[in-house]
Amino acid sequence: MKFAKYAGLVILLAGGFSSQAQDEAPKLTLKGYVKDLFTANFSTPNDARFDNLIHNRLNLKWYPNEHLTGALEVRNRFFIGNSLGLIPNYGSYVDVNNDYVDMSVLPINNDKAVLHMMIDRAYLQWNKNNLEVTVGRQRINWGQNLVWNPNDIFNAYSFFDFDYEERPGSDALRVQYYTGVASSVEGTIKAADSWSKVVAAGIWRTNKWNYDFQGFAGKMKEHAVVGGGWAGSIKNAGFKGEMTWFGEAAGRKAQFITSSSIDYSFANSFYVNGSFLFNSSGVSEPDQSALGAFSLNKLDVRSLSPYRWSVFGQASYPFHPLVSGGLSVMVFPSDMGCFTSPFVTYSVVPNLDLDLLGQFFLGDIGEGYTLLAKVAYTRVKWSF
């Protein structure tokens, strides 16, 4: 019954949008992609795991008039492979980022195959003059940096989850008022079933000395929260940063998180990015369990990294008009844990890309410094 309601809603909205598209002025746009992601996991000695994910996304936008926009974005994923038989109830493992309103279904959920279907965005946006109001499931992007975003209190994301380009959304009410070309005030509240779980804050943005500045205050669940950030440049290098303080609550002590980054593109398109993260509640001594604390499920901005200090570096280069590649490295000085990710992208034809990517965790869990995770990915993506 739940699946029937889901499918009926998608068909009804798509049909309604299609009828609008027949008007002389287009009122509907439809974009999306189909991806196939093959994963080879060699983390367990003598027991390699192979998995495959077919991932389809449909992004519909509706423009009934000059002041109103409607959006419906659907995420469909079909999983098969060895992991389904090794991870109990794999369907519940991948059924995350569903926020307050349950808009996902698992029509197939067993140890052979899992089909997960979710409405990932569903909102209405009204704007007039300098006022903009958005209600529904939406992306609330307060972060400034590439890797770690302490300002992203509404919908944090993980850098390791490279196959989720759109990033999580939130069921929220958002009101923005633009006070200038590069300045605004905003108030946002995220839906929850109790006040102790509500996330609500106001943010002020402005531009000064060719820098974009922002400052915000509010509550994140049971914590008072205050933060801010900036984005500008030092000569020709981009310079960004953000910081957030969480007050003491519910037996959890106060916490301060800050991150800053510098990036630069050379004349030959060689690109470099360097960043750090400081987490006052992170571990500062060698900890065998810290590397295993990373999780893509129900990520919280307060746990972007389990370490007190984290350092990131990335370099990329277009070797050919159709081929680019690079390397990302993350180091955790507390116990010299390390994450590396080489990547190559080949543009086969327009709208069709082939990606090769690896993710390797190195660390010491009491048995010497070694590779703890060895995963290789091959992805084909067709966009339309």
Side-chain angles (χ1 to χ4, degrees):
M1 179 62 69
K2 184 179 178 182
F3 173 67
K5 291 180 179 179
Y6 174 94
L9 177 61
V10 173
I11 293 171
L12 178 64
L13 289 173
F17 290 169
S18 297
S19 65
Q20 292 286 347
Q22 296 174 2
D23 292 346
E24 182 177 344
K27 295 185 178 180
L28 168 74
T29 62
L30 172 62
K31 297 181 180 180
Y33 55 71
V34 178
K35 297 187 290 188
D36 185 272
L37 178 68
F38 176 77
T39 303
N41 191 328
F42 303 100
S43 302
T44 304
N46 304 318
D47 188 18
R49 302 202 314 265
F50 302 98
D51 299 290
N52 197 77
L53 163 62
I54 298 175
H55 185 173
N56 162 246
R57 189 178 185 96
L58 298 172
N59 298 334
L60 298 107
K61 289 286 183 66
W62 178 46
Y63 306 93
N65 58 57
E66 62 177 326
H67 300 296
L68 188 63
T69 300
L72 176 70
E73 302 184 12
V74 182
R75 189 185 193 206
N76 303 308
R77 297 181 294 165
F78 181 68
F79 301 83
I80 58 173
N82 301 135
S83 294
L84 278 67
L86 297 174
I87 299 176
N89 195 8
Y90 192 83
S92 64
Y93 173 76
V94 300
D95 187 20
V96 295
N97 298 322
N98 220 18
D99 218 68
Y100 178 68
V101 181
D102 186 359
M103 289 193 280
S104 70
V105 292
L106 288 164
I108 302 175
N109 184 18
N110 55 57
D111 60 0
K112 302 296 182 183
V114 169
L115 175 60
H116 180 244
M117 308 176 73
M118 180 173 74
I119 296 177
D120 195 47
R121 301 285 192 272
Y123 63 82
L124 288 174
Q125 184 177 88
W126 178 83
N127 65 82
K128 188 172 183 180
N129 298 328
N130 295 329
L131 181 63
E132 184 174 281
V133 180
T134 309
V135 60
R137 180 162 298 177
Q138 57 190 288
R139 174 70 186 167
I140 303 168
N141 187 18
W142 286 9
Q144 301 283 346
N145 292 320
L146 170 67
V147 184
W148 298 294
N149 298 120
N151 285 182
D152 199 357
I153 63 173
F154 288 95
N155 30 217
Y157 78 99
S158 171
F159 178 78
F160 307 124
D161 192 4
F162 68 92
D163 198 45
Y164 193 7
E165 299 95 332
E166 296 79 15
R167 302 178 183 176
S170 293
D171 296 334
L173 170 64
R174 188 181 190 188
V175 181
Q176 297 171 277
Y177 185 79
Y178 296 92
T179 56
V181 176
S183 60
S184 65
V185 291
E186 174 185 333
T188 301
I189 182 168
K190 182 177 178 180
D193 55 13
S194 67
W195 178 247
S196 63
K197 297 179 182 179
V198 165
V199 181
I203 187 169
W204 167 77
R205 296 183 177 94
T206 191
N207 181 276
K208 190 73 173 178
W209 311 298
N210 293 321
Y211 270 70
D212 293 322
F213 293 99
Q214 64 184 39
F216 68 90
K219 71 179 293 289
M220 180 180 172
K221 299 178 180 178
E222 296 180 326
H223 300 264
V225 60
V226 178
W230 70 89
S233 61
I234 300 176
K235 293 188 176 181
N236 294 324
F239 179 45
K240 302 175 182 178
E242 51 194 281
M243 59 192 71
T244 305
W245 174 86
F246 302 89
E248 181 178 357
R252 186 167 179 167
K253 63 181 181 180
Q255 182 178 5
F256 177 73
I257 308 175
T258 185
S259 178
S260 184
S261 68
I262 294 179
D263 64 275
Y264 185 80
S265 291
F266 292 86
N268 63 354
S269 298
F270 180 67
Y271 172 80
V272 292
N273 181 297
S275 181
F276 79 89
L277 174 76
F278 171 77
N279 174 11
S280 67
S281 296
V283 297
S284 56
E285 301 293 336
D287 188 333
Q288 296 181 10
S289 65
L291 273 174
F294 289 101
S295 175
L296 302 184
N297 294 349
K298 300 180 180 179
L299 182 70
D300 190 298
V301 68
R302 296 167 297 179
S303 56
L304 294 174
S305 171
Y307 294 95
R308 176 158 293 192
W309 289 98
S310 303
V311 181
F312 174 84
Q314 183 185 78
S316 63
Y317 181 72
F319 300 99
H320 181 274
L322 302 179
V323 181
S324 62
L327 176 68
S328 299
V329 178
M330 200 177 290
V331 179
F332 313 105
S334 299
D335 56 13
M336 292 310 297
C338 180
F339 165 80
T340 63
S341 179
F343 56 91
V344 176
T345 297
Y346 171 44
S347 181
V348 182
V349 294
N351 300 326
L352 182 64
D353 295 325
L354 172 64
D355 299 306
L356 304 176
L357 184 141
Q359 290 188 335
F360 308 100
F361 278 95
L362 300 92
D364 185 356
I365 56 172
E367 301 174 357
Y369 197 75
T370 184
L371 273 169
L372 303 176
K374 297 167 282 185
V375 188
Y377 303 91
T378 300
R379 182 175 67 176
V380 179
K381 179 180 180 180
W382 174 64
S383 304
F384 58 85

